[in-house]
Amino acid sequence: MKQKSCCVLICLLAGLSLFAQTKATGNQLITLETLLTPFYDLSLLPRYETGIYAAQESSYDRTGKNDDGFGGTYSFVRKNPDGTLVLFEQQGPGYINRIWTPTPTDDTLDFYLDDSIKPSFSIVYRDLYTGKNYPFVAPLCSNQLGGFYCYLPIPYSKYCKIVLRAQKTMFHQIGYKRFPGNQPVKTFSLPLSNSERAALERIGKLWNNPMVTASDLHALKAPVKLTTNTVNIRPGQTLTIYQSASPGRIAGFELITGSAPDTIARAIDLKIAWDGEPTPAVYCPLADYFGYAFGRASMQGLLAGSDGKRHYSWFPMPFDRSAKVELVYRKTASTPASALPITTRFYTQDLKRDAPNEGKFYANWRRQNPVPQGQPFTMLDVKGRGHLAGSVLQAQGLMTGITIFFEGDDSTVVDGELRMHGTGSEDYFNGGWYALLDRWDDAMSLPLSGSLEYSIPLCRTGGYRFFLTDKIPFEKSLFHSIEHGPEYNLAPADYTSVTYYYSDRNGGQPEAPGNHNTTIYMPDTLEIYPQLMNVAIDNNVAVEARWTGMPAKTLYYTIDNNSLVRYSLQDIPPGSYDIHLHYRKRPDAASFSLWQRQTQISDWINAQAAQEVDVPMEKVATITLTELNNTLSFRFRGNEKQHKFVLTRIVLVRKK
């Protein structure tokens, strides 16, 4: 009983100390609950973070090469005498806002908060993401697309250290923020309070609502008004779809079409201007703003996205005097002459921008084809005061084959200081391990990040990421870039990005969108790795996938006579192609031929040889693909001695 009374007294004294500190500094106490608020109240997104230092600890290769965690060389701050690894160590006040890794283990993480001797709590590294240990649960902590991420804020008042009880670890990124020294912070502790649990539950319910609107995502400091209209826009027209001549803010908007505008979405530009500024705050193709992947709707994140017909943006956009939103439909050789009907929904508030404390919304659009050799791709380069709020990237390789350009690291220089350096392009988007099954191998949308597409045949991919508690504040300047290629930016590439940010001034962009810089690149040579294809089989077929020195695994088939293996080519653009095979001849190989459904398109090919021989490129057939006829089948003739087939890749070369 006496021990319990002492604990109560200690907690009471701690609470009184925090109250006294808050009263003395005049600053609001930062708690886990206040740090959770930005996840469900987007009205906070335009607010500046004056005096806050944002940075990241990561395992990136300090020499500029590509050992960003493979060897574990740079995967710790220091080693303890017992060989355990210090992954993170900072003085407070501050908080951790993101912990990411593609390589969690079953070793234990110890979190030392305000106490360098005794851990405040410990958790198995993997269980930081699996949902087994509350409050490290979805949607803030999860694993998809090959990357494991934890966005649960971990605030600390004086000190924070993370120790991994292991001798080696690989890739990681740990984002954090430091507050000014006089900022009172309530240090993270378990179990959570009822109000903290309620905040987590509120986030889960909101993020799992597929029809969430601006009214749900903004605190009601002023009523949200909905204005709906329908317009018809034709090629060559510019239409104003929203205009205000008085102070206020756009809490969000939706553009709804009757049919998916996939083929024309890059020919329609979204143009937004604030307060009579001569340079638009937003001027980019509709498709790129809403996270299309090379002309097709893809992104469905918390702040913006599209299902192909409904396009939504929930970025709050405060303005001082006036606002104007336009759609510009450029004429192109392929755009239809008919009008496109669009229903517009604008959610607005009569709430003037708080200029000393809020920035205006801007979206910076950039396209470089090709990205200059030896230089990273610049996503944002601005002066002034503000913060980064999100980015979307479409990344296209200009050489057939694996997406090696996506080995590049992101980099963020804030006020002239390198604050963040990533470990790989998909890592920046909370993914990991491209070209591996059920990892970064297809499109997938999550609330704060996702993959737009992944295609080895078309040699392209892309991703998006929104920043809430991890938004990156700057007082003077921000330079945000991403490399193309594992080292020295040498992989030929075509990059398009939209970067969302808030600032006290318009940073502009290098050029306006036009027909010359919005066309989608389509390669003539498409390289296909069977490991990553959708396949169906008939009769008796067994398969083993092995690494053989190629970027993806080689498939070793064991077949019976008359067995069939059919590959789907539905992601390949329609057209006529010469088929080249990379396969192996060997003593126990069967004969095979290629078919398109019931039509044989190659002769029977004998893959038998006295010794195993690699056949790197052999033209075997021609195929014409349409939207309704887009499969390729291998049929086999074999016996007890000839029952193997080894396939490394299929190469399609478009016929001109």
Side-chain angles (χ1 to χ4, degrees):
M1 188 72 175
K2 183 177 179 182
Q3 184 179 5
K4 184 177 180 181
S5 300
C6 289
C7 291
V8 171
L9 180 60
I10 289 171
C11 291
L12 180 61
L13 290 173
L16 289 172
S17 174
L18 283 171
F19 174 77
Q21 186 180 1
T22 303
K23 187 174 181 181
T25 61
N27 293 337
Q28 179 184 1
L29 176 67
I30 299 294
T31 67
L32 172 60
E33 188 176 352
T34 59
L35 292 174
L36 289 172
T37 306
F39 290 115
Y40 60 79
D41 181 6
L42 296 188
S43 69
L44 299 173
L45 191 55
R47 296 190 67 84
Y48 296 131
E49 291 190 330
T50 305
I52 293 179
Y53 182 95
Q56 176 178 274
E57 183 64 57
S58 82
S59 58
Y60 79 94
D61 190 333
R62 271 61 173 174
T63 69
K65 295 187 177 180
N66 199 38
D67 184 11
D68 294 318
F70 293 103
T73 308
Y74 307 100
S75 301
F76 53 89
V77 175
R78 56 184 172 85
K79 283 190 176 184
N80 289 320
D82 62 358
T84 57
L85 305 175
V86 178
L87 304 187
F88 178 84
E89 189 170 29
Q90 286 289 325
Q91 299 297 320
Y95 73 100
I96 295 171
N97 54 50
R98 173 179 173 262
I99 304 175
W100 165 91
T101 181
T103 52
T105 64
D106 293 325
D107 301 300
T108 298
L109 286 171
D110 293 322
F111 287 77
Y112 296 78
L113 305 177
D114 298 347
D115 185 343
S116 61
I117 305 301
K118 182 180 178 182
S120 299
F121 70 94
S122 301
I123 187 171
V124 172
Y125 195 0
R126 192 181 308 279
D127 288 343
L128 198 63
Y129 315 99
T130 59
K132 293 181 180 179
N133 291 66
Y134 190 87
F136 300 97
V137 294
L140 294 186
C141 304
S142 189
N143 64 297
Q144 296 291 345
L145 289 165
F148 296 70
Y149 56 86
C150 174
Y151 277 99
L152 182 72
I154 302 177
Y156 48 92
S157 177
K158 299 176 182 178
Y159 172 78
C160 179
K161 179 174 69 173
I162 304 175
V163 176
L164 179 65
R165 294 187 216 164
Q167 306 297 305
K168 180 183 177 180
T169 189
M170 297 177 70
F171 299 83
H172 69 258
Q173 299 174 11
I174 303 174
Y176 66 97
K177 289 185 178 179
R178 287 204 308 257
F179 297 114
N182 63 346
Q183 173 65 57
V185 174
K186 180 185 176 184
T187 299
F188 181 90
S189 63
L190 297 172
L192 299 191
S193 68
N194 289 338
S195 60
E196 290 167 342
R197 295 174 70 94
L200 270 180
E201 290 176 8
R202 182 173 179 179
I203 294 166
K205 289 180 181 178
L206 190 69
W207 288 18
N208 289 323
N209 179 1
M211 295 306 294
V212 67
T213 70
S215 300
D216 305 310
L217 292 165
H218 291 74
L220 295 177
K221 298 173 184 176
V224 177
K225 298 185 296 184
L226 173 60
T227 303
T228 302
N229 191 24
T230 299
V231 298
N232 291 281
I233 188 168
R234 296 179 181 275
Q237 280 189 315
T238 297
L239 292 182
T240 299
I241 58 173
Y242 175 80
Q243 192 162 11
S244 175
S246 59
R249 66 187 59 210
I250 298 172
F253 65 93
E254 296 171 285
L255 306 178
I256 301 169
T257 59
S259 58
D262 289 353
T263 58
I264 60 174
R266 258 199 170 181
I268 302 174
D269 300 325
L270 176 66
K271 196 172 183 180
I272 303 176
W274 311 126
D275 305 322
E277 293 178 356
T279 302
V282 178
Y283 193 7
C284 69
L286 197 72
D288 298 344
Y289 181 90
F290 289 105
Y292 276 49
F294 307 95
R296 293 189 297 180
S298 178
M299 180 174 76
Q300 296 181 35
L302 180 67
L303 279 85
S306 173
D307 62 6
K309 297 180 181 179
R310 173 179 172 259
H311 304 71
Y312 61 91
S313 172
W314 306 136
F315 285 101
M317 303 177 181
F319 49 91
D320 298 329
R321 300 182 306 278
S322 64
K324 187 176 184 180
V325 182
E326 298 173 288
L327 293 179
V328 181
Y329 195 169
R330 289 178 274 108
K331 286 185 177 180
T332 70
S334 59
T335 51
S338 58
L340 176 68
I342 301 176
T343 298
T344 67
R345 295 177 180 171
F346 279 85
Y347 300 81
T348 59
Q349 293 174 295
D350 294 330
L351 189 64
K352 182 181 179 181
R353 181 174 77 106
D354 180 6
N357 298 306
E358 289 185 312
K360 295 180 186 179
F361 175 81
Y362 298 97
N364 187 284
W365 178 82
R366 290 173 181 253
R367 168 83 181 274
Q368 285 189 323
N369 180 20
V371 183
Q373 294 285 289
Q375 300 177 24
F377 174 73
T378 300
M379 291 192 283
L380 186 63
D381 184 7
V382 291
K383 308 293 183 185
R385 176 192 185 198
H387 49 269
L388 179 68
S391 55
V392 181
L393 175 69
Q394 296 169 80
Q396 170 79 62
L398 297 179
M399 290 180 61
T400 189
I402 202 76
T403 54
I404 192 68
F405 54 86
F406 227 49
E407 286 291 316
D409 301 341
D410 63 281
S411 177
T412 307
V413 178
V414 179
D415 298 336
E417 177 188 5
L418 178 62
R419 298 273 188 86
M420 302 172 185
H421 195 294
T423 55
S425 299
E426 76 272 31
D427 308 354
Y428 170 74
F429 300 108
N430 285 323
W433 307 117
Y434 65 73
L436 293 183
L437 291 175
D438 287 339
R439 299 187 188 182
W440 191 275
D441 67 340
D442 205 345
M444 184 177 188
S445 280
L446 303 167
L448 297 183
S449 58
S451 168
L452 298 179
E453 180 179 359
Y454 188 79
S455 173
I456 289 180
L458 298 175
C459 197
R460 65 193 188 190
T461 184
Y464 68 90
R465 179 176 166 190
F466 301 126
F467 297 79
L468 294 176
T469 54
D470 56 337
K471 65 186 184 184
I472 305 173
F474 55 94
E475 297 294 333
K476 299 177 182 178
S477 64
L478 185 135
F479 182 79
H480 190 54
S481 66
I482 195 162
E483 299 169 332
H484 51 107
E487 297 176 4
Y488 313 120
N489 296 290
L490 297 178
D494 167 9
Y495 277 18
T496 302
S497 70
V498 177
T499 305
Y500 315 100
Y501 69 104
Y502 290 86
S503 183
D504 61 352
R505 68 194 70 176
N506 193 330
Q509 62 189 35
E511 60 180 334
N515 294 342
H516 66 289
N517 59 9
T518 55
T519 56
I520 297 171
Y521 172 79
M522 189 61 65
D524 289 330
T525 302
L526 291 76
E527 191 167 325
I528 301 169
Y529 287 90
Q531 179 203 359
L532 300 171
M533 297 177 67
N534 292 324
V535 64
I537 61 173
D538 193 17
N539 291 336
N540 189 19
V541 178
V543 63
E544 180 183 357
R546 302 181 198 168
W547 289 111
T548 58
M550 298 298 292
K553 292 181 179 180
T554 293
L555 298 188
Y556 287 72
Y557 288 101
T558 301
I559 56 89
D560 279 350
N561 191 39
N562 295 323
S563 293
L564 182 148
V565 176
R566 188 181 73 183
Y567 293 106
S568 170
L569 301 178
Q570 63 181 5
D571 293 331
I572 305 300
S576 294
Y577 299 88
D578 288 332
I579 302 175
H580 300 258
L581 296 185
H582 182 176
Y583 69 104
R584 290 189 178 183
K585 294 185 176 183
R586 47 189 288 165
D588 55 0
S591 297
F592 68 92
S593 64
L594 301 186
W595 295 64
Q596 189 174 24
R597 300 189 66 82
Q598 294 296 311
T599 302
Q600 185 173 351
I601 59 175
S602 81
D603 295 330
W604 283 96
I605 300 169
N606 186 357
Q608 188 179 8
Q611 296 181 341
E612 187 163 326
V613 178
D614 192 54
V615 183
M617 183 74 95
E618 180 178 305
K619 180 182 174 182
V620 294
T622 297
I623 191 170
T624 298
L625 300 175
T626 69
E627 292 184 359
L628 300 178
N629 195 2
N630 48 23
T631 61
L632 174 66
S633 298
F634 286 73
R635 299 192 182 197
F636 298 97
R637 288 176 178 170
N639 53 47
E640 292 182 358
K641 293 184 178 180
Q642 277 71 53
H643 61 288
K644 299 289 186 181
F645 179 63
V646 181
L647 181 62
T648 298
R649 58 182 173 155
I650 303 168
V651 178
L652 302 181
V653 180
R654 185 186 297 272
K655 294 180 69 68
K656 296 181 180 180

mmCIF file of all heavy atoms in Angstrom, residues 57 75-80 83-89 159-164 166 172:
data_model
loop_
_atom_site.group_PDB
_atom_site.id
_atom_site.type_symbol
_atom_site.label_atom_id
_atom_site.label_comp_id
_atom_site.label_asym_id
_atom_site.label_seq_id
_atom_site.Cartn_x
_atom_site.Cartn_y
_atom_site.Cartn_z
ATOM 1 N N GLU A 57 17.783 9.781 -39.350
ATOM 2 C CA GLU A 57 18.923 8.885 -39.213
ATOM 3 C C GLU A 57 18.666 7.696 -40.115
ATOM 4 O O GLU A 57 17.565 7.122 -40.098
ATOM 5 C CB GLU A 57 19.070 8.423 -37.762
ATOM 6 C CG GLU A 57 20.267 7.552 -37.504
ATOM 7 C CD GLU A 57 21.581 8.270 -37.729
ATOM 8 O OE1 GLU A 57 21.803 9.308 -37.081
ATOM 9 O OE2 GLU A 57 22.380 7.796 -38.580
ATOM 10 N N SER A 75 24.703 0.924 -40.605
ATOM 11 C CA SER A 75 23.378 0.673 -40.047
ATOM 12 C C SER A 75 23.306 0.890 -38.537
ATOM 13 O O SER A 75 22.420 0.355 -37.874
ATOM 14 C CB SER A 75 22.930 -0.749 -40.387
ATOM 15 O OG SER A 75 22.898 -0.937 -41.789
ATOM 16 N N PHE A 76 24.195 1.673 -37.992
ATOM 17 C CA PHE A 76 24.155 1.974 -36.569
ATOM 18 C C PHE A 76 24.927 3.262 -36.310
ATOM 19 O O PHE A 76 25.817 3.643 -37.073
ATOM 20 C CB PHE A 76 24.742 0.825 -35.735
ATOM 21 C CG PHE A 76 26.115 0.395 -36.159
ATOM 22 C CD1 PHE A 76 27.257 0.994 -35.623
ATOM 23 C CD2 PHE A 76 26.278 -0.602 -37.107
ATOM 24 C CE1 PHE A 76 28.522 0.600 -36.010
ATOM 25 C CE2 PHE A 76 27.547 -1.000 -37.516
ATOM 26 C CZ PHE A 76 28.671 -0.394 -36.966
ATOM 27 N N VAL A 77 24.545 3.937 -35.232
ATOM 28 C CA VAL A 77 25.255 5.147 -34.818
ATOM 29 C C VAL A 77 26.575 4.775 -34.160
ATOM 30 O O VAL A 77 27.613 5.377 -34.405
ATOM 31 C CB VAL A 77 24.377 5.968 -33.851
ATOM 32 C CG1 VAL A 77 25.149 7.162 -33.304
ATOM 33 C CG2 VAL A 77 23.112 6.439 -34.557
ATOM 34 N N ARG A 78 26.525 3.751 -33.305
ATOM 35 C CA ARG A 78 27.730 3.232 -32.658
ATOM 36 C C ARG A 78 27.421 1.864 -32.069
ATOM 37 O O ARG A 78 26.259 1.478 -31.937
ATOM 38 C CB ARG A 78 28.222 4.173 -31.560
ATOM 39 C CG ARG A 78 27.215 4.494 -30.484
ATOM 40 C CD ARG A 78 27.748 5.512 -29.486
ATOM 41 N NE ARG A 78 26.717 5.963 -28.577
ATOM 42 C CZ ARG A 78 26.376 5.342 -27.461
ATOM 43 N NH1 ARG A 78 26.993 4.207 -27.138
ATOM 44 N NH2 ARG A 78 25.420 5.814 -26.686
ATOM 45 N N LYS A 79 28.478 1.141 -31.726
ATOM 46 C CA LYS A 79 28.325 -0.158 -31.082
ATOM 47 C C LYS A 79 28.599 -0.023 -29.589
ATOM 48 O O LYS A 79 29.524 0.681 -29.173
ATOM 49 C CB LYS A 79 29.281 -1.187 -31.686
ATOM 50 C CG LYS A 79 28.859 -1.730 -33.031
ATOM 51 C CD LYS A 79 29.727 -2.921 -33.443
ATOM 52 C CE LYS A 79 29.228 -3.524 -34.761
ATOM 53 N NZ LYS A 79 30.000 -4.733 -35.138
ATOM 54 N N ASN A 80 27.795 -0.713 -28.802
ATOM 55 C CA ASN A 80 28.045 -0.785 -27.372
ATOM 56 C C ASN A 80 29.158 -1.793 -27.094
ATOM 57 O O ASN A 80 29.476 -2.628 -27.954
ATOM 58 C CB ASN A 80 26.762 -1.197 -26.634
ATOM 59 C CG ASN A 80 25.726 -0.094 -26.629
ATOM 60 O OD1 ASN A 80 26.061 1.079 -26.470
ATOM 61 N ND2 ASN A 80 24.466 -0.464 -26.807
ATOM 62 N N GLY A 83 28.513 -5.283 -28.065
ATOM 63 C CA GLY A 83 28.259 -5.555 -29.472
ATOM 64 C C GLY A 83 26.877 -5.181 -29.948
ATOM 65 O O GLY A 83 26.604 -5.229 -31.151
ATOM 66 N N THR A 84 25.968 -4.828 -29.030
ATOM 67 C CA THR A 84 24.640 -4.379 -29.455
ATOM 68 C C THR A 84 24.755 -3.033 -30.158
ATOM 69 O O THR A 84 25.739 -2.301 -29.997
ATOM 70 C CB THR A 84 23.680 -4.278 -28.260
ATOM 71 O OG1 THR A 84 24.235 -3.390 -27.281
ATOM 72 C CG2 THR A 84 23.462 -5.653 -27.635
ATOM 73 N N LEU A 85 23.730 -2.686 -30.922
ATOM 74 C CA LEU A 85 23.821 -1.560 -31.838
ATOM 75 C C LEU A 85 22.924 -0.405 -31.409
ATOM 76 O O LEU A 85 21.722 -0.592 -31.191
ATOM 77 C CB LEU A 85 23.413 -2.006 -33.244
ATOM 78 C CG LEU A 85 24.174 -3.210 -33.818
ATOM 79 C CD1 LEU A 85 23.584 -3.611 -35.162
ATOM 80 C CD2 LEU A 85 25.660 -2.900 -33.946
ATOM 81 N N VAL A 86 23.497 0.777 -31.303
ATOM 82 C CA VAL A 86 22.724 1.988 -31.079
ATOM 83 C C VAL A 86 22.272 2.497 -32.450
ATOM 84 O O VAL A 86 23.080 2.924 -33.268
ATOM 85 C CB VAL A 86 23.545 3.067 -30.352
ATOM 86 C CG1 VAL A 86 22.719 4.343 -30.184
ATOM 87 C CG2 VAL A 86 24.022 2.553 -28.998
ATOM 88 N N LEU A 87 20.961 2.434 -32.701
ATOM 89 C CA LEU A 87 20.426 2.862 -33.991
ATOM 90 C C LEU A 87 20.102 4.346 -34.005
ATOM 91 O O LEU A 87 20.095 4.975 -35.074
ATOM 92 C CB LEU A 87 19.149 2.079 -34.327
ATOM 93 C CG LEU A 87 19.236 0.548 -34.337
ATOM 94 C CD1 LEU A 87 17.930 -0.036 -34.851
ATOM 95 C CD2 LEU A 87 20.410 0.070 -35.171
ATOM 96 N N PHE A 88 19.824 4.904 -32.832
ATOM 97 C CA PHE A 88 19.367 6.297 -32.765
ATOM 98 C C PHE A 88 19.706 6.851 -31.389
ATOM 99 O O PHE A 88 19.545 6.165 -30.381
ATOM 100 C CB PHE A 88 17.854 6.348 -32.992
ATOM 101 C CG PHE A 88 17.237 7.721 -32.906
ATOM 102 C CD1 PHE A 88 17.240 8.561 -34.010
ATOM 103 C CD2 PHE A 88 16.666 8.174 -31.730
ATOM 104 C CE1 PHE A 88 16.670 9.823 -33.935
ATOM 105 C CE2 PHE A 88 16.092 9.428 -31.652
ATOM 106 C CZ PHE A 88 16.100 10.258 -32.759
ATOM 107 N N GLU A 89 20.153 8.110 -31.368
ATOM 108 C CA GLU A 89 20.435 8.769 -30.092
ATOM 109 C C GLU A 89 20.345 10.274 -30.290
ATOM 110 O O GLU A 89 21.045 10.838 -31.132
ATOM 111 C CB GLU A 89 21.808 8.381 -29.552
ATOM 112 C CG GLU A 89 22.061 8.875 -28.137
ATOM 113 C CD GLU A 89 23.326 8.287 -27.527
ATOM 114 O OE1 GLU A 89 24.262 7.965 -28.302
ATOM 115 O OE2 GLU A 89 23.383 8.140 -26.301
ATOM 116 N N TYR A 159 15.714 13.042 -23.687
ATOM 117 C CA TYR A 159 16.703 12.165 -24.320
ATOM 118 C C TYR A 159 15.993 10.966 -24.925
ATOM 119 O O TYR A 159 14.977 10.494 -24.417
ATOM 120 C CB TYR A 159 17.694 11.706 -23.242
ATOM 121 C CG TYR A 159 18.695 10.654 -23.648
ATOM 122 C CD1 TYR A 159 19.818 10.985 -24.410
ATOM 123 C CD2 TYR A 159 18.537 9.335 -23.245
ATOM 124 C CE1 TYR A 159 20.753 10.006 -24.751
ATOM 125 C CE2 TYR A 159 19.466 8.357 -23.586
ATOM 126 C CZ TYR A 159 20.561 8.703 -24.341
ATOM 127 O OH TYR A 159 21.490 7.745 -24.684
ATOM 128 N N CYS A 160 16.547 10.470 -26.029
ATOM 129 C CA CYS A 160 16.026 9.253 -26.648
ATOM 130 C C CYS A 160 17.169 8.446 -27.245
ATOM 131 O O CYS A 160 18.028 8.988 -27.950
ATOM 132 C CB CYS A 160 15.001 9.581 -27.728
ATOM 133 S SG CYS A 160 14.336 8.127 -28.573
ATOM 134 N N LYS A 161 17.156 7.159 -26.964
ATOM 135 C CA LYS A 161 18.133 6.239 -27.558
ATOM 136 C C LYS A 161 17.408 4.935 -27.896
ATOM 137 O O LYS A 161 16.572 4.459 -27.119
ATOM 138 C CB LYS A 161 19.276 5.963 -26.585
ATOM 139 C CG LYS A 161 20.326 4.980 -27.120
ATOM 140 C CD LYS A 161 21.521 4.847 -26.182
ATOM 141 C CE LYS A 161 21.159 4.154 -24.889
ATOM 142 N NZ LYS A 161 22.353 3.881 -24.047
ATOM 143 N N ILE A 162 17.713 4.386 -29.076
ATOM 144 C CA ILE A 162 17.159 3.101 -29.484
ATOM 145 C C ILE A 162 18.323 2.134 -29.671
ATOM 146 O O ILE A 162 19.251 2.405 -30.440
ATOM 147 C CB ILE A 162 16.353 3.201 -30.784
ATOM 148 C CG1 ILE A 162 15.246 4.246 -30.664
ATOM 149 C CG2 ILE A 162 15.755 1.844 -31.146
ATOM 150 C CD1 ILE A 162 14.493 4.486 -31.957
ATOM 151 N N VAL A 163 18.270 1.012 -28.967
ATOM 152 C CA VAL A 163 19.320 -0.003 -29.039
ATOM 153 C C VAL A 163 18.719 -1.302 -29.555
ATOM 154 O O VAL A 163 17.670 -1.746 -29.067
ATOM 155 C CB VAL A 163 19.974 -0.228 -27.657
ATOM 156 C CG1 VAL A 163 20.995 -1.365 -27.728
ATOM 157 C CG2 VAL A 163 20.645 1.050 -27.170
ATOM 158 N N LEU A 164 19.370 -1.904 -30.546
ATOM 159 C CA LEU A 164 18.968 -3.208 -31.057
ATOM 160 C C LEU A 164 19.883 -4.261 -30.455
ATOM 161 O O LEU A 164 21.106 -4.188 -30.589
ATOM 162 C CB LEU A 164 19.059 -3.245 -32.584
ATOM 163 C CG LEU A 164 18.695 -4.574 -33.247
ATOM 164 C CD1 LEU A 164 17.220 -4.905 -33.035
ATOM 165 C CD2 LEU A 164 19.027 -4.560 -34.737
ATOM 166 N N ALA A 166 21.375 -6.930 -31.104
ATOM 167 C CA ALA A 166 21.861 -7.779 -32.194
ATOM 168 C C ALA A 166 23.255 -7.314 -32.572
ATOM 169 O O ALA A 166 23.665 -6.189 -32.251
ATOM 170 C CB ALA A 166 20.918 -7.712 -33.391
ATOM 171 N N HIS A 172 17.472 0.790 -42.543
ATOM 172 C CA HIS A 172 16.476 1.480 -41.733
ATOM 173 C C HIS A 172 16.521 2.977 -41.983
ATOM 174 O O HIS A 172 17.522 3.523 -42.455
ATOM 175 C CB HIS A 172 16.643 1.192 -40.228
ATOM 176 C CG HIS A 172 17.879 1.787 -39.631
ATOM 177 N ND1 HIS A 172 19.006 1.049 -39.369
ATOM 178 C CD2 HIS A 172 18.168 3.049 -39.231
ATOM 179 C CE1 HIS A 172 19.932 1.824 -38.837
ATOM 180 N NE2 HIS A 172 19.453 3.045 -38.747
#
